[in-house]
């Protein structure tokens, strides 16, 4: 099934592993076809509305929201992209994958840590553990079957690590793992979903290392030669938004960037991160996510915003005419963008194998995934787990 479109009525023919678009993201289908494909299942996944919130801000980078009023976690999912349809599909697919994670239809087995240890192929302490966990050899958990992405066998993952359900049950359960959405991803094909999941894990690892060890290096934005990333920087500049970008060092050797934006119109800094073998795609993801973060605060609808963006903002009177000079971009000195190693493989399946090998070379273990796909829905959804990768609380 890897690299293949799951059977779905009316789905277009697509060769396994082909990339239909590569501008700002790599996908197996054009976004218009994806939108047509997923529309029939929106109500099944609890999605009642998909809204364009781009022009709540003045930047103009497309941002959409997908709304699930009865969600067990976030009822508002965000999406961004190089154009409106990519942003629409991005928001909707994120809502769909969250619904799958909230309603897992995955067979489980219940067993002690001691009994499961020989079948895992990794140590439990390589997973995100709760700060004061109680895990010992006699602890009994539900376990999800997991698949090695390198195709070399199976494993298991503790179900409490991946269960996403914030509903109040009236029952106290001691914490063991930090339940996480890190690595949760969907796609047009399974390989596309696996890539999204692995890239997210690598991005979060690089971000955690930068915070802990100060490994981020500023990027000289005047050296950016990727067409889309350059266009996005022009949109920020035209809106009077200052941009700072840092390259995040990663043992996985995958380009990862962190972007921060601020302006007099909304002086609170907002950030975004992006990871991809293609450095242009990685930078574009970081820039569009930063714009998305700001629109999220302006819209005020997402469940987990909190008060910080509003309490930290100190607004000034802004009366900028179209002819007034925009605030200059930051980052005029720093790492030359062209010096950052970048590559782009021809197919999604080749990219999946390549990235899995990179992860294993660092962690010593193949990345795993739990298949959350509903066969009757037909949209590939996976939860990628990379034992040994770093992450911070919050995802």
């Amino acid at each position: 099934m890897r690299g293949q479109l799951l059977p779905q009525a009316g789905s277009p023919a697509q060769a396994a592993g082909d990339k239909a678009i590569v501008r700002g993201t790599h996908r197996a289908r054009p976004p218009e076809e994806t939108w047509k494909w997923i529309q029939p299942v929106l109500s099944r996944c609890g999605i009642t509305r998909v809204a364009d919130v781009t022009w709540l801000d003045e930047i103009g980078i497309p941002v959409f929201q997908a709304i699930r009023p009865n969600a067990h976690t976030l009822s508002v999912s965000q999406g961004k992209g190089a154009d409106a349809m990519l942003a629409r599909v991005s928001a909707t697919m994120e809502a769909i994958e969250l619904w799958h994670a909230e309603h897992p239809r995955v067979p489980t087995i219940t067993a002690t840590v001691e009994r499961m240890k020989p079948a895992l192929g990794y140590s439990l302490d390589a997973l995100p553990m709760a700060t004061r966990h109680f895990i010992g050899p006699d602890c009994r958990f539900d376990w999800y079957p997991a698949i090695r992405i390198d195709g070399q066998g199976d494993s298991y993952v503790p179900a409490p690590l991946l269960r996403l359900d914030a509903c109040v049950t009236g029952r106290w359960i001691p914490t063991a793992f930090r339940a996480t959405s890190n690595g949760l991803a969907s796609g047009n094909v399974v390989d596309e979903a696996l890539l999204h999941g692995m890239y997210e894990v690598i991005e979060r690892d690089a971000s955690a290392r930068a915070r802990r060890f100060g490994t981020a290096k500023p990027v000289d934005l005047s050296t950016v030669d990727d067409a889309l990333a350059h266009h996005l920087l022009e949109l920020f500049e035209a809106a009077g938004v200052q941009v700072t970008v840092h390259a995040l060092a990663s043992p996985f050797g995958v380009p990862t960037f962190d972007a921060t934006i601020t302006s007099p119109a909304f002086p609170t800094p907002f950030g975004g991160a992006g990871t991809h073998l293609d450095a242009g795609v990685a930078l574009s993801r970081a820039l569009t996510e930063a714009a998305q973060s700001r629109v999220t605060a302006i819209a005020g609808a997402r469940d987990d915003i909190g008060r910080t963006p509003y309490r930290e903002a100190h607004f000034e009177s802004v009366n900028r005419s179209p002819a007034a000079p925009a605030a200059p971009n930051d980052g005029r000195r720093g790492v030359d963008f062209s010096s950052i190693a970048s590559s782009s493989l021809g197919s999604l399946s080749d990219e999946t194998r390549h990235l899995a090998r990179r992860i294993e070379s660092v962690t010593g273990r193949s990345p795993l995934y739990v298949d959350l796909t509903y066969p009757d829905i037909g949209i590939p959804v996976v939860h990628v787990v990379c034992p040994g990768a770093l992450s911070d609380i919050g995802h």
Side-chain angles (χ1 to χ4, degrees):
M1 188 180 295
R2 289 264 307 276
Q4 304 280 346
L5 289 176
L6 291 178
Q8 181 89 358
S11 63
Q14 176 77 30
D18 284 354
K19 294 181 180 181
I21 60 169
V22 293
R23 183 173 181 265
T25 185
H26 292 185
R27 297 285 187 271
R29 278 191 176 115
E32 294 78 12
E33 293 183 11
T34 302
W35 177 245
K36 182 178 179 180
W37 176 50
I38 64 179
Q39 271 187 293
V41 304
L42 298 191
S43 60
R44 172 78 183 276
C45 296
I47 300 170
T48 60
R49 184 164 63 96
V50 180
D52 183 354
V53 293
T54 304
W55 292 108
L56 293 179
D57 200 355
E58 58 184 341
I59 298 171
I61 293 174
V63 178
F64 276 66
Q65 293 181 341
I67 315 299
R68 295 184 304 126
N70 293 321
H72 292 186
T73 52
L74 296 177
S75 60
V76 177
S77 295
Q78 307 284 143
K80 75 285 186 188
D83 58 49
M85 186 55 74
L86 279 169
R88 179 189 297 272
V89 168
S90 173
T92 308
M93 291 293 271
E94 182 172 303
I96 288 172
E97 68 199 35
L98 275 173
W99 181 87
H100 280 73
E102 292 169 1
H103 304 85
R105 191 190 288 175
V106 181
T108 61
I109 64 172
T110 304
T112 63
V113 171
E114 185 68 26
R115 179 186 166 193
M116 296 301 298
K117 188 175 180 179
L120 299 182
Y122 63 90
S123 174
L124 277 187
D125 60 12
L127 300 177
M129 316 287 277
T131 304
R132 298 173 66 182
H133 65 79
F134 65 94
I135 299 173
D138 296 326
C139 289
R140 186 179 300 271
F141 298 114
D142 289 340
W143 302 81
Y144 288 148
I147 304 166
R148 287 175 52 136
I149 295 181
D150 65 5
Q152 299 302 308
D154 300 324
S155 182
Y156 292 88
V157 174
L161 177 69
L162 305 187
R163 281 182 178 151
L164 301 181
D165 191 339
C167 293
V168 176
T169 63
R171 176 188 173 201
W172 179 77
I173 300 175
T175 57
F177 303 94
R178 288 193 281 114
T180 179
S181 63
N182 190 19
L184 176 64
S186 56
N188 290 285
V189 297
V190 177
D191 277 310
E192 187 179 297
L194 292 174
L195 283 168
H196 293 334
M198 286 190 286
Y199 279 132
E200 183 169 79
V201 170
I202 291 173
E203 174 191 305
R204 303 271 169 79
D205 178 278
S207 296
R209 291 176 190 275
R211 282 189 287 270
R212 297 180 193 185
F213 311 124
T215 54
K217 296 182 179 180
V219 175
D220 182 349
L221 298 183
S222 68
T223 65
V224 173
D225 55 3
D226 178 80
L228 176 58
H230 184 73
H231 171 66
L232 295 171
L233 289 170
E234 288 180 332
L235 291 177
F236 284 118
E237 189 166 7
V241 177
Q242 293 182 287
V243 182
T244 303
V245 174
H246 286 82
L248 306 185
S250 169
F252 300 102
V254 180
T256 301
F257 299 97
D258 179 88
T260 303
I261 62 173
T262 188
S263 73
F266 203 156
T268 299
F270 293 95
T275 298
H276 201 276
L277 287 170
D278 184 324
V281 172
L283 178 55
S284 296
R285 286 182 173 177
L287 293 171
T288 55
E289 186 172 280
Q292 172 187 283
S293 298
R294 192 163 105 149
V295 175
T296 298
I298 293 171
R302 185 163 161 130
D303 316 51
D304 60 345
I305 297 175
R307 301 176 181 178
T308 301
Y310 310 106
R311 286 185 167 179
E312 289 185 352
H314 301 284
F315 296 98
E316 301 174 11
S317 176
V318 177
N319 184 20
R320 189 181 70 249
S321 68
N329 282 338
D330 200 356
R332 294 301 183 187
R333 292 181 300 276
V335 176
D336 190 316
F337 180 78
S338 62
S339 70
I340 297 172
S342 178
S343 60
S344 181
L345 300 181
S347 75
L348 294 168
S349 54
D350 289 344
E351 195 172 322
T352 299
R353 288 191 293 268
H354 178 80
L355 202 60
R357 286 195 296 269
R358 286 206 182 190
I359 292 173
E360 187 170 5
S361 71
V362 174
T363 65
R365 313 168 183 88
S366 171
L368 313 169
Y369 74 95
V370 174
D371 189 355
L372 300 175
T373 307
Y374 274 53
D376 53 326
I377 292 179
I379 297 174
V381 179
V382 301
H383 205 144
V384 172
V385 178
C386 299
L390 300 183
S391 65
D392 286 332
I393 295 173
H395 299 295

